[in-house]
Amino acid sequence: MARWQQGTVVENQHWTDTLFSLRIEVESFAFAAGQFAKLALDLEGERIARPFSLVNPPDGSPLECYLVLVPTGRLSPVLHRLQAGDAILVSQQSAGFFTLDEVPNGDSLWMLASGTGVGPYLSILQTDTPWQRFARIHLVHSVRRTKELVYRSLIHVWQQRYPEQFRYQPIVTREPCEGALTQRLPALLGSGALERALGDRLGAGTQVMLCGNPQMVTDCLAELAQRGLKKNLRRSPGQVTSERYW
Ligand code: NAP
């Protein structure tokens, strides 16, 4: 049973009509980068709770979640309307296994995301661990439209700070965007186009993280398996660690 603490919204940043970041002040919340919190509201006499990955680093505050408004959902339309000062329930405890502790060592770390699945990477990359553990880090974010390429100023900091170690590759699938690839992730993996764009090869030293649309995760796992990269499981370590976002 989830135990709850009272949080207060300090900011609701709307990036587009449907994409938004909620910043929430809580008394305390311990988590590892890549994990999620549960957010909840009491709506029409019922407590509606959903898990949301954290974007802020574990030593940072307030808590921050990057969300999409799902029009048919019960919680996200209400979260979308919250304003600074509004109350929200936050779980006492974090959960989830999409953390670097679960990822074996390697030469390169490929962080592949669609949509809001970029969230956990933003938290992980704000910690020291990935920069200490991997010689090359690639953040690849697939979105429909250019305006959905969010958190660009944060990403720019890493581009400046780690020019040799870090590559950011946007993918925009529904309109032209300079510097972005245009095909979906599984196709880009299958054709080798992502490797060419990143100037890196999928090989024995590669660790891949996958997060976002469940079908994207399934299809990327299949493409990566073709290349000999197998799923990373606790009982059987491999090269691909994945999180289905819904
Ligand atoms: P999206 O905005 O549909 O897509 C983001 C990127 O992922 C786009 O580049 C898209 O390419 C690509 N993509 C979509 N399906 C793919 C697949 N099967 N394989 C590879 N790439 C794929 O965002 P989304 O994150 O996929 O979400 C889709 C819808 O699901 C949203 O409109 C949202 O309402 C809903 N959603 C629900 C929840 C939930 O918790 N229930 C959470 C997140 C999103 P294309 O442009 O080619 O499609």
Side-chain angles (χ1 to χ4, degrees):
M1 266 266 285
R3 292 174 47 209
W4 299 98
Q5 60 178 318
Q6 193 71 48
T8 306
V9 174
V10 290
E11 191 182 355
N12 186 348
Q13 178 182 358
H14 285 206
W15 302 90
T16 69
D17 289 350
T18 55
L19 294 169
F20 61 107
S21 292
L22 268 184
R23 300 194 178 93
I24 302 165
E25 203 69 66
V26 287
E27 201 166 293
S28 71
F29 188 84
F31 69 102
Q35 283 193 308
F36 58 83
K38 280 190 177 169
L39 303 181
L41 291 171
D42 291 330
L43 303 173
E44 295 162 4
E46 198 184 339
R47 183 155 295 179
I48 311 292
R50 299 278 182 273
F52 296 101
S53 293
L54 294 155
V55 167
N56 59 295
D59 60 358
S61 69
L63 296 183
E64 180 166 339
C65 299
Y66 173 50
L67 296 82
V68 61
L69 167 67
V70 182
T72 53
R74 288 186 73 187
L75 189 61
S76 69
V78 188
L79 296 177
H80 187 250
R81 290 195 296 271
L82 291 180
Q83 295 181 355
D86 287 342
I88 185 167
L89 292 166
V90 180
S91 55
Q92 295 273 10
Q93 290 196 328
S94 61
F97 300 101
F98 197 64
T99 65
L100 279 187
D101 279 355
E102 302 292 328
V103 177
N105 283 328
D107 306 326
S108 65
L109 179 63
W110 299 45
M111 302 173 128
L112 312 183
S114 71
T116 49
V118 73
Y121 300 138
L122 300 173
S123 180
I124 292 168
L125 290 170
Q126 288 183 83
T127 69
D128 293 334
T129 314
W131 308 104
Q132 290 165 352
R133 282 186 51 195
F134 296 92
R136 301 183 303 286
I137 298 175
H138 306 302
L139 176 64
V140 183
H141 190 197
S142 178
V143 298
R144 295 179 184 185
R145 304 200 175 276
T146 310
K147 65 184 179 192
E148 297 165 3
L149 294 172
V150 293
Y151 289 97
R152 290 297 287 264
S153 50
L154 183 59
I155 292 165
H156 189 69
V157 171
W158 300 319
Q159 290 174 309
Q160 297 283 313
R161 194 177 295 164
Y162 308 104
E164 303 299 324
Q165 195 177 3
F166 179 66
R167 291 293 295 270
Y168 170 62
Q169 180 59 60
I171 301 169
V172 178
T173 43
R174 300 200 185 183
E175 66 186 14
C177 171
E178 203 186 322
L181 299 171
T182 57
Q183 287 183 298
R184 286 180 164 192
L185 270 163
L188 292 168
L189 287 170
S191 67
L194 186 61
E195 290 168 285
R196 285 194 292 280
L198 294 172
D200 204 351
R201 298 281 295 172
L202 293 166
T206 308
Q207 286 293 326
V208 182
M209 297 178 85
L210 282 173
C211 187
N213 184 302
Q215 191 60 50
M216 179 280 290
V217 171
T218 300
D219 293 350
C220 286
L221 279 167
E223 290 294 345
L224 291 164
Q226 293 265 349
R227 302 290 303 272
L229 276 66
K230 78 178 188 72
K231 205 166 153 65
N232 177 38
L233 302 169
R234 277 198 162 170
R235 61 179 183 278
S236 165
Q239 290 174 264
V240 191
T241 307
S242 59
E243 175 128 301
R244 289 164 211 275
Y245 232 38
W246 67 92

